[in-house]
């Protein structure tokens, strides 16, 4: 299997994020997520059973953790590890260019 993380990116904002599973094996899933201005719905928090390691490849985003005062601004090359069940949300993603994420979901 082969591909390019920057192939087929949208040229205009879309109604929803694109989430593409690149690889799935027992206990691990790798996704490419493409955002074009999306944000988490008001009052919504992700609370995932699996851990997630995510890197921002292009664009920008503002990520907020429920247990932190300040949100984290992510730019290309920034990565972070999200522990299982740690509540977080996306405040915004860049609307002027695709924000491309590479997310690794795994069991700890």
């Amino acid at each position: 299997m082969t591909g390019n993380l920057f192939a087929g990116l949208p040229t205009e904002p879309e109604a929803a994020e694109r989430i593409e599973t690149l690889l799935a094996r027992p206990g691990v899933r790798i996704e490419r997520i493409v955002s074009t201005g999306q944000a988490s719905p008001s009052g919504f928090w992700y609370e995932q059973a699996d851990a997630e390691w995510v890197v921002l490849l292009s664009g920008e985003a503002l990520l907020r953790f429920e247990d932190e005062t300040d949100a984290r601004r992510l730019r290309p090359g920034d990565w972070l590890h999200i522990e299982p069940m740690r509540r977080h949300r996306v405040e915004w993603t860049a609307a002027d260019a695709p924000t491309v994420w590479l997310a690794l979901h795994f069991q700890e």
Side-chain angles (χ1 to χ4, degrees), residues 14-65:
E14 297 186 335
E17 286 183 315
R18 291 186 190 180
I19 302 173
E20 177 185 3
T21 299
L22 304 177
L23 179 72
R25 297 289 186 269
V28 66
R29 185 177 75 255
I30 301 172
E31 296 175 335
R32 177 182 84 157
I33 303 167
V34 180
S35 307
T36 53
Q38 287 82 15
S40 299
S42 179
F44 174 82
W45 294 91
Y46 290 99
E47 191 171 6
Q48 305 161 167
D50 289 341
E52 181 178 359
W53 182 90
V54 64
V55 60
L56 196 88
L57 301 176
S58 67
E60 286 190 72
L62 191 67
L63 188 72
R64 179 175 301 282
F65 288 95

Side-chain angles (χ1 to χ4, degrees), residues 46-94:
Y46 290 99
E47 191 171 6
Q48 305 161 167
D50 289 341
E52 181 178 359
W53 182 90
V54 64
V55 60
L56 196 88
L57 301 176
S58 67
E60 286 190 72
L62 191 67
L63 188 72
R64 179 175 301 282
F65 288 95
E66 185 180 47
D67 61 349
E68 292 182 358
T69 304
D70 297 324
R72 299 181 188 200
R73 189 168 191 158
L74 302 177
R75 295 180 176 92
D78 291 340
W79 62 268
L80 54 92
H81 173 250
I82 304 171
E83 295 175 6
M85 306 308 291
R86 187 169 184 202
R87 291 170 56 100
H88 62 286
R89 57 180 282 109
V90 177
E91 295 288 329
W92 58 260
T93 59

